[in-house]
Every structure is written in C-alpha cells, then in structure tokens.
Amino acid sequence: MSEERARKRQAMATVPTDAAGSLLNFVAMAVKDPTIDVTKLEALLRMQREIVADDAKVQFNQAFIRLQTKLPRIKKNGVLEYPVNKNNPEGPKRKIANFAKWEDIDAAIRPQLDDEGFALSFNTEARTAGGGLVVTAILRHRAGYSQGTSIPVPLDASGGKNDLQGYGSSLSYGKRYAATAALNIITEGEDDDGKRGGMRFITAEQVAELDSLITETRSDKERFVQMFGVALLENIEAGAWAAARNLLLGKTKRTKT
C-alpha cells in the first residue's frame, strides 16, 4: 500500500464526529476520492444520517422547552349549546359547557411557534373501531424533527347535526384536544366540554363498546352522555365506566325479553 493511500485510510479512521457539519464536510471530500473504500464510505454516510437526525431531535427538544415558557393560557370563550328539542335544531338551546375555541388557540400560539421554528399541522383518518375519525397533531421543527399526537373522535351527531356538520364539529374538537395535548396548552375558565383537568377517561375500546350498545338498544346518545355530565362518550370518566356499561347492558336484556 502506498504512503498516500495509508494516510487517507488513517484519516478515515479519525474522522471528526463531534458535529453533523464536520462529518458532512469530510464525506463530501471522501466522495471525490476515487481510492476511497466503498464499504467505509457507506458506513460514514449512515453515521452522518444518524448524527443529523440526533442533532435535529436535540434542537427540537431545546426549542420545545423554550416554547413551554412562552405559551399563554387560553381562555374558554366558546359556548357549547344543544337544542332543547333535538328534533328542532333551530329552536331554543341550552348551555352545556364552555370550551377554548380552536381559532383562539391558533391565534394565541402561532407567534410563539413561529419564533421557535415550529409548524403545527393536522392529519385525519377514519376510525375503524366505533366510527368517527382520528385527528393527529403533527409538530414539526425547522431542524427536521417532528412528532405526532393522536386523538380519537366519534362523529358528532348531537343537536340534530347532519353527517357533514358532524364531521366539521368532530374535526374542530379533535384539533383542539390534539393541539393542547401536543403542546401541553393550559386552558382556563369554566369546565370545558371534555372536562379535561387531569382526570382519567375511558379508553377508545370502551368508547367503541358503549357506542355499539347505544346503537343496539336504540338509546339516545345525547341524553345518555348528559347523564354523566359530558358532551361526548370519550369524556366519560374512567370511574364511571362500569355504571355506563351496566346501564346499557340492562337495556339490552330488557330488549331481548
């Protein structure tokens, strides 16, 4: 082996890896060398990708920590109302709860997200268990790292809504809760339509089972959830699961007899 080639191999063995930029520059030079060992070059490229990915995650985490000190508390200015008579959607309505509207959340957090190099977007997909959809909040950072937070949401048929109106309502609901979960946003004011305050709620599988039992017993879903002081099935507290299920199972037995 020539002295020149031995020198290059020694350089390969001592490649700087303290930063993605250093390795990237080294790889760029190595690619131009016709005598470079292909296997070692591939290993360098893999290493470079791993370092870039790790660096992007570090930048994401650092920016996220700074973001937490800047995010404001969001006022619950929205009012959830249902018609007194569900067969007359345009008639008199009664207040169910207050909630933080998505447009208020977006207006409050967008400047802070931009300042720290974040972008927030949403994906939706149909939910196979129990119907409805899954809303995923995707938080992306300019360094290249991203992470998602998903919230299952049933189709909102309350208050005489048609399918299109129900989809829009469910999407707005999903955005609110996916975004607040992803960013650890705090809302303040009266209890919202989810009564979220750190409580534990029934699982997606339990929501699907209740939804199926409601359909089987031809129960009024809106009146059923109101019995537990909430607006949607997934807002039922975990401790009330057995009572909710047994109530519907009792109706099932009466239907079959």
Side-chain angles (χ1 to χ4, degrees):
M1 180 184 299
S2 67
E3 182 178 346
E4 176 66 15
R5 189 163 185 178
R7 184 186 64 78
K8 290 178 179 178
R9 286 185 176 274
Q10 178 63 28
M12 291 281 288
T14 58
V15 57
T17 59
D18 58 327
S22 299
L23 182 57
L24 184 61
N25 292 335
F26 186 88
V27 171
M29 291 186 294
V31 169
K32 299 177 182 179
D33 186 353
T35 64
I36 195 74
D37 182 89
V38 174
T39 301
K40 187 160 289 188
L41 179 59
E42 290 176 346
L44 282 172
L45 291 171
R46 286 195 301 271
M47 187 186 303
Q48 186 265 335
R49 287 193 295 269
E50 292 171 359
I51 291 176
V52 168
D54 289 344
D55 183 64
K57 188 172 183 179
V58 168
Q59 290 189 53
F60 178 100
N61 290 333
Q62 291 174 341
F64 188 82
I65 291 172
R66 292 193 300 269
L67 179 68
Q68 292 299 291
T69 66
K70 301 178 181 180
L71 289 176
R73 292 173 179 260
I74 312 298
K75 296 289 185 181
K76 297 176 183 176
N77 295 322
V79 178
L80 180 66
E81 295 180 322
Y82 283 167
V84 174
N85 181 356
K86 71 174 183 178
N87 296 318
N88 182 20
E90 303 304 321
K93 294 179 172 58
R94 64 183 182 279
K95 175 181 172 180
I96 302 299
N98 286 74
F99 65 93
K101 297 188 290 185
W102 168 241
E103 52 266 37
D104 291 342
I105 295 174
D106 180 69
I109 67 175
R110 190 177 292 270
Q112 286 76 24
L113 291 176
D114 290 344
D115 186 52
E116 289 296 343
F118 286 108
L120 183 66
S121 61
F122 298 91
N123 284 342
T124 61
E125 60 179 314
R127 191 174 67 171
T128 55
L133 62 152
V134 176
V135 180
T136 301
I138 303 173
L139 187 62
R140 294 182 172 89
H141 188 250
R142 61 188 166 207
Y145 183 78
S146 64
Q147 64 182 29
T149 302
S150 298
I151 299 291
V153 185
L155 187 65
D156 182 7
S158 63
K161 294 183 180 69
N162 59 38
D163 287 348
L164 184 58
Q165 292 170 327
Y167 180 88
S169 176
S170 295
L171 179 58
S172 178
Y173 178 94
K175 281 185 175 181
R176 295 200 308 269
Y177 284 113
T180 54
L183 296 170
N184 191 32
I185 294 172
I186 298 174
T187 58
E188 57 185 22
E190 297 183 43
D191 284 347
D192 61 10
D193 55 337
K195 289 192 173 180
R196 296 280 164 179
M199 299 180 181
R200 292 178 59 247
F201 301 91
I202 61 176
T203 66
E205 291 75 18
Q206 291 170 336
V207 169
E209 183 175 350
L210 290 181
D211 197 54
S212 177
L213 287 170
I214 287 172
T215 300
E216 182 181 346
T217 58
R218 299 181 182 178
S219 299
D220 186 323
K221 183 186 294 186
E222 180 182 343
R223 298 179 73 176
F224 178 80
V225 295
Q226 286 175 7
M227 292 175 63
F228 296 90
V230 296
L232 295 170
L233 287 175
E234 51 257 274
N235 293 330
I236 294 175
E237 295 177 29
W241 156 244
R245 182 172 181 270
N246 289 338
L247 181 63
L248 291 170
L249 287 176
K251 293 185 67 175
T252 302
K253 292 176 181 179
R254 290 196 298 270
T255 302
K256 293 179 179 178
T257 56

